[in-house]
Amino acid sequence: MMIIAIDGPAGSGKGTIAKEIALKYNLAHLETGLLYRALAFKVFENKIELENRTQIIKVAATITLDDLENVKLRSEEIGNLASKVATFPEVRQALLEFQRNFANSPPPSFNGAVLDGRDIGTFVCPQANIKLYITAQLEVRAERRLKELQNRGIESIYTAVIQNMRDRDLRDASRQQAPLKIAKDAHIIDTSSLSFDDMLKQSIAVIEQHLKK
Ligand code: DC
């Protein structure tokens, strides 16, 4: 059973890479950001105040795979709120078991699991067979996010997107509990000047090298 951990900041390309790797190696894929987004969505819909931590923690314990299907989870607003609720240690604890279960017991038809997020290699699955840390310059990531939003028909401006991303990077990297960090044994791939095909090729090369061992 193979576990692959893919971490990195927003807009780095980690989600796309994880999806392709899951297909190529027949791995179950969990985009862990969606767990935090699903929680943020429920907090937003039920108008729960961020100060009401007890309630937020309760809701965190109710998140299921079905909650992750909602397309509304992909908005910038939900991403920001997700980053905020993700700073609560009790929330991270509540979602930890879900992620570890997924990694350790994917459906039997799969060869293992690939999880992408911020703290997979460092915290959720420190025992992962392969760890990738996908990154790119802030400007490049903001440009990608802007295109993605525009493709989905969401009017956005570059300065707002980049500011938003800067804030989120800072919050994700500076929180006390399991911050965004490069695992010691992670392979770093900087995708700033890579095409989609090239980032995928580099990631696969790392995996193939590992499988040969
Ligand atoms: O990857 P994403 O943009 O969908 O993640 C949304 C937020 O969720 C991110 O800003 C921080 C949080 N998150 C986290 O704290 N740990 C993870 N493993 C994944 C996401």
Side-chain angles (χ1 to χ4, degrees):
M1 253 252 317
M2 174 157 75
I3 297 179
I4 301 184
I6 304 185
D7 291 301
S12 58
K14 65 177 189 310
T16 324
I17 290 174
K19 209 179 290 164
E20 294 294 326
I21 283 176
L23 284 175
K24 181 169 170 67
Y25 295 99
N26 186 37
L27 303 170
H29 174 209
L30 180 63
E31 190 182 336
T32 63
L34 286 181
L35 293 170
Y36 294 92
R37 284 172 182 265
L39 172 60
F41 187 72
K42 288 191 182 195
V43 166
F44 173 76
E45 282 249 297
N46 297 307
K47 301 192 172 59
I48 305 171
E49 299 285 340
L50 271 181
E51 287 70 35
N52 192 351
R53 221 186 254 216
T54 320
Q55 190 57 30
I56 295 177
I57 296 160
K58 266 194 202 149
V59 177
T62 69
I63 305 289
T64 64
L65 275 179
D66 287 340
D67 292 321
L68 312 188
E69 302 295 329
N70 188 348
V71 287
K72 291 188 190 149
L73 302 187
R74 307 268 172 194
S75 76
E76 288 290 275
E77 290 74 20
I78 295 298
N80 279 335
L81 191 55
S83 165
K84 288 180 187 159
V85 295
T87 62
F88 301 162
E90 304 91 332
V91 160
R92 307 199 67 82
Q93 189 58 39
L95 297 177
L96 183 61
E97 203 182 336
F98 185 107
Q99 298 172 76
R100 287 194 175 153
N101 279 342
F102 187 96
N104 296 322
S105 330
S109 56
F110 290 105
N111 300 329
V114 53
L115 281 74
D116 73 80
R118 302 286 189 290
D119 61 340
I120 309 305
T122 51
F123 192 66
V124 177
C125 302
Q127 83 290 10
N129 304 83
I130 303 170
K131 299 179 185 177
L132 300 178
Y133 187 88
I134 312 293
T135 188
Q137 285 159 12
L138 176 68
E139 291 74 13
V140 176
R141 294 189 284 114
E143 220 23 275
R144 286 179 189 158
R145 180 50 54 92
L146 185 70
K147 277 208 190 104
E148 185 194 324
L149 290 168
Q150 286 171 344
N151 285 343
R152 298 208 318 258
I154 303 169
E155 289 267 349
S156 320
I157 46 171
Y158 179 75
T159 46
V161 172
I162 196 166
Q163 187 54 44
N164 200 3
M165 207 165 235
R166 197 180 280 125
D167 291 348
R168 198 135 74 86
D169 279 359
L170 194 65
R171 196 181 303 117
D172 293 346
S174 61
R175 66 171 177 245
Q176 284 205 313
Q177 187 72 27
L180 171 66
K181 205 168 72 182
I182 307 175
K184 274 196 226 65
D185 46 352
H187 300 266
I188 302 171
I189 300 178
D190 187 328
T191 66
S192 300
S193 53
L194 295 182
S195 66
F196 169 69
D197 280 353
D198 285 337
M199 56 176 108
L200 195 58
K201 262 189 210 147
Q202 286 204 13
S203 308
I204 289 171
V206 170
I207 297 171
E208 288 299 320
Q209 207 176 19
H210 176 91
L211 293 176
K212 265 193 231 145
K213 278 187 202 158

